[in-house]
Amino acid sequence: FRIMAGKVKWVTDIEKSVLINNFEKRGWIQVAENEDWNFYWMSVQTIRNVFSVETGYRLSDDQIVNHFPNHYELTRKDLMVKNIKRYRKELEKEGSPLAEKDENGKYIYLDFVPVTFMLPADYNLFVEEFRKNPSSTWIMKPCGKAQGKGIFLINKLSQIKKWSRDSKTSSFVSQSSKEAYVISLYINNPLLIGGKKFDLRLYVLVSTYRPLRCYMYKLGFCRFCTVKYTPSTSELDNMFVHLTNVAIQKHGDDYNHIHGGKWTVSNLRLYLESTRGKEVTNKLFDEIHWIIVQSLKAVAPVMNNDKHCFECYGYDIIIDDKLKPWLIEVNASPSLTSSTANDRILKYNLINDTLNIAVPNGEIPDCKWNKSPPKEVLGNYEVLYDEEMAQSDGTDRDLRGRPGQPTGVKGSRARDSGKPVLTTWK
């Protein structure tokens, strides 16, 4: 391996900048206080090599890496949707109240990903769904790309048939037979602030999947488009209207290099509390937390829970104008470069707090520890879900035993004699 030495405890801003740059440029680095132990930060490509049967690498007890071997079960767009669909079906078979549906057959509590199909496999199913509502807009994304690359919107079947090898048989074949796509119903009623569309980038740290233990980072942010949103079909090709990715927006004429088109999550909370009310805002964020926990539970059974691993995911959430949150995708390698001064501070803290949980007190890593650090090292993280604690408290069993009660099942705050009731899934 090519390794660059760094330090867990920062000394100067220059060291931090070098570390951040190397996260991006080299893909992975070694962070160490001495030569006796190694902490690897690896790219997803390097992780594949480390855990590949062919390479034969074996990690020792003092080596910890920042991805699970098959993290792609959550971070590939097609596999995320596939696992969530499977999770719903399994809960239905168990008769879980979480899988309850309304009179139209829609999930009441588990309807948090837009209607999605895999192409080319589900092309005929997509066409059937499209024809139910021919005026709908759909967004098409390559499964294995990031930063908005290869994404486009369609509102006519003719726009997708150019990707088809044989339109007579209505069989979809992408330009590259190796590259799969997902096509999702576009959320055309996003919540707008200042007339512009935005999404949320939230960071979630998973230290173990079995039992599931995850942490929510309190310092997420909103990413705004530079051009005001319009549902007009004439603007379907204008990515500055529809895609919030900084990699795209920074090339726009109206991009602001000072604030980078970003708000902190705390600013969004203040805005929503002042315009929609505190109770509604709390309910929204509880539902976002609920979505994150359910998505992790969906992949937990298939995740290779290697004891050497942890992972910091970048969750992308869109809120519609009815204040319903939607899970768009989960990133395995959320960007650690900074586009603004506030960005730099946030990401320094994110890395520092993540390392402090993965390797408490900067001690020699030990993959056999119980991965439950003391509260004082959490920094800006807070425990989002601890399966072990939930089961010992009986809250998971309590959840399954209370059908027809949205509060608690959905994770929203309820009122009882003026006192807030804790969400049961926590």
Side-chain angles (χ1 to χ4, degrees):
F1 293 122
R2 289 184 299 137
I3 300 173
M4 173 186 172
K7 294 182 179 179
V8 172
K9 295 179 181 176
W10 312 123
V11 178
T12 67
D13 281 346
I14 294 174
E15 284 182 350
K16 294 178 185 178
S17 297
V18 169
L19 181 60
I20 297 287
N21 288 336
N22 276 278
F23 269 122
E24 291 294 318
K25 290 177 183 175
R26 294 179 184 257
W28 62 281
I29 62 172
Q30 173 193 30
V31 182
E33 281 191 326
N34 54 54
E35 295 302 318
D36 297 332
W37 58 272
N38 300 328
F39 179 104
Y40 295 109
W41 194 285
M42 301 185 179
S43 70
V44 292
Q45 290 82 7
T46 312
I47 287 290
R48 287 194 194 106
N49 293 333
V50 167
F51 289 104
S52 168
V53 176
E54 287 77 25
T55 56
Y57 291 128
R58 293 294 180 271
L59 297 177
S60 60
D61 286 352
D62 61 353
Q63 290 178 313
I64 294 177
V65 295
N66 61 308
H67 293 291
F68 289 91
N70 60 336
H71 64 86
Y72 45 79
E73 293 285 353
L74 179 62
T75 56
R76 257 187 73 105
K77 299 173 183 72
D78 54 344
L79 295 180
M80 180 193 82
V81 173
K82 176 185 170 185
N83 282 311
I84 289 172
K85 286 180 178 179
R86 175 188 46 75
Y87 177 62
R88 290 167 170 169
K89 293 292 183 188
E90 287 175 355
L91 288 176
E92 266 188 270
K93 286 179 184 176
E94 293 172 9
S96 170
L98 299 189
E100 189 180 338
K101 295 181 178 179
D102 63 16
E103 61 275 6
N104 298 318
K106 285 184 70 174
Y107 289 99
I108 297 174
Y109 309 120
L110 296 174
D111 178 35
F112 55 79
V113 289
V115 175
T116 301
F117 298 97
M118 285 52 149
L119 298 179
D122 296 338
Y123 181 73
N124 291 331
L125 290 172
F126 159 69
V127 171
E128 187 180 331
E129 185 68 28
F130 182 91
R131 285 176 175 155
K132 290 179 185 175
N133 188 3
S135 61
S136 57
T137 299
W138 295 74
I139 185 166
M140 195 162 168
K141 305 176 184 180
C143 295
K145 291 184 180 176
Q147 299 183 326
K149 293 172 185 171
I151 295 177
F152 59 94
L153 277 66
I154 68 156
N155 63 347
K156 295 176 184 173
L157 280 178
S158 58
Q159 293 166 311
I160 204 173
K161 282 186 177 177
K162 67 180 179 180
W163 298 78
S164 175
R165 179 185 297 165
D166 182 3
S167 59
K168 292 179 183 177
T169 59
S170 298
S171 61
F172 175 95
V173 179
S174 64
Q175 283 179 320
S176 165
S177 58
K178 293 180 181 177
E179 191 165 34
Y181 278 73
V182 292
I183 188 161
S184 303
L185 190 61
Y186 184 65
I187 297 164
N188 60 4
N189 63 326
L191 177 66
L192 304 178
I193 297 179
K196 295 176 181 178
K197 178 182 174 180
F198 69 95
D199 74 351
L200 282 173
R201 164 56 60 85
L202 302 172
Y203 299 101
V204 178
L205 173 63
V206 177
S207 57
T208 170
Y209 272 99
R210 288 188 295 278
L212 178 60
R213 188 175 293 122
C214 55
Y215 304 84
M216 186 85 206
Y217 202 61
K218 291 182 274 188
L219 305 180
F221 54 88
C222 308
R223 304 179 298 186
F224 283 83
C225 289
T226 54
V227 178
K228 286 193 174 183
Y229 178 78
T230 170
S232 169
T233 54
S234 63
E235 292 286 353
L236 285 187
D237 293 332
N238 189 343
M239 293 299 102
F240 297 119
V241 171
H242 298 285
L243 298 186
T244 58
N245 307 68
V246 175
I248 288 175
Q249 294 296 333
K250 68 182 180 182
H251 298 296
D253 295 336
D254 298 318
Y255 181 73
N256 186 309
H257 291 274
I258 297 173
H259 59 64
K262 292 179 179 178
W263 265 16
T264 62
V265 167
S266 56
N267 279 348
L268 176 65
R269 265 190 180 271
L270 287 171
Y271 173 81
L272 291 175
E273 285 177 7
S274 63
T275 56
R276 303 292 186 103
K278 191 164 186 175
E279 192 171 339
V280 170
T281 303
N282 285 339
K283 181 175 181 288
L284 167 66
F285 279 91
D286 272 343
E287 288 180 349
I288 290 172
H289 295 163
W290 155 264
I291 286 172
I292 291 168
V293 171
Q294 295 307 311
S295 67
L296 293 172
K297 284 188 171 187
V299 299
V302 296
M303 196 64 70
N304 186 339
N305 189 48
D306 193 285
K307 61 185 178 181
H308 299 277
C309 304
F310 72 94
E311 191 136 18
C312 180
Y313 296 105
Y315 270 75
D316 291 347
I317 304 281
I318 282 184
I319 304 165
D320 68 22
D321 57 10
K322 296 175 183 174
L323 289 197
K324 176 180 172 63
W326 295 91
L327 174 59
I328 303 303
E329 62 184 67
V330 184
N331 297 273
S333 298
S335 173
L336 294 174
T337 52
S338 53
S339 54
T340 67
N342 287 337
D343 224 15
R344 178 168 295 186
I345 294 168
L346 184 152
K347 287 169 182 177
Y348 286 167
N349 288 326
L350 173 68
I351 295 169
N352 193 54
D353 292 345
T354 300
L355 296 186
N356 283 338
I357 291 177
V359 189
N361 304 319
E363 296 172 356
I364 296 175
D366 179 7
C367 68
K368 294 179 179 177
W369 76 299
N370 69 1
K371 300 181 186 289
S372 183
K375 284 185 180 179
E376 54 267 23
V377 306
L378 296 185
N380 289 299
Y381 276 108
E382 57 185 0
V383 177
L384 180 60
Y385 183 78
D386 187 327
E387 188 174 20
E388 229 170 16
M389 191 181 296
Q391 287 175 348
S392 65
D393 290 347
T395 50
D396 275 7
R397 290 188 295 277
D398 181 42
L399 181 75
R400 296 191 188 97
R402 291 197 287 167
Q405 294 196 20
T407 55
V409 169
K410 209 167 183 178
S412 57
R413 293 171 196 255
R415 297 278 172 183
D416 183 19
S417 305
K419 295 180 181 178
V421 177
L422 290 175
T423 51
T424 58
W425 50 269
K426 286 184 182 178

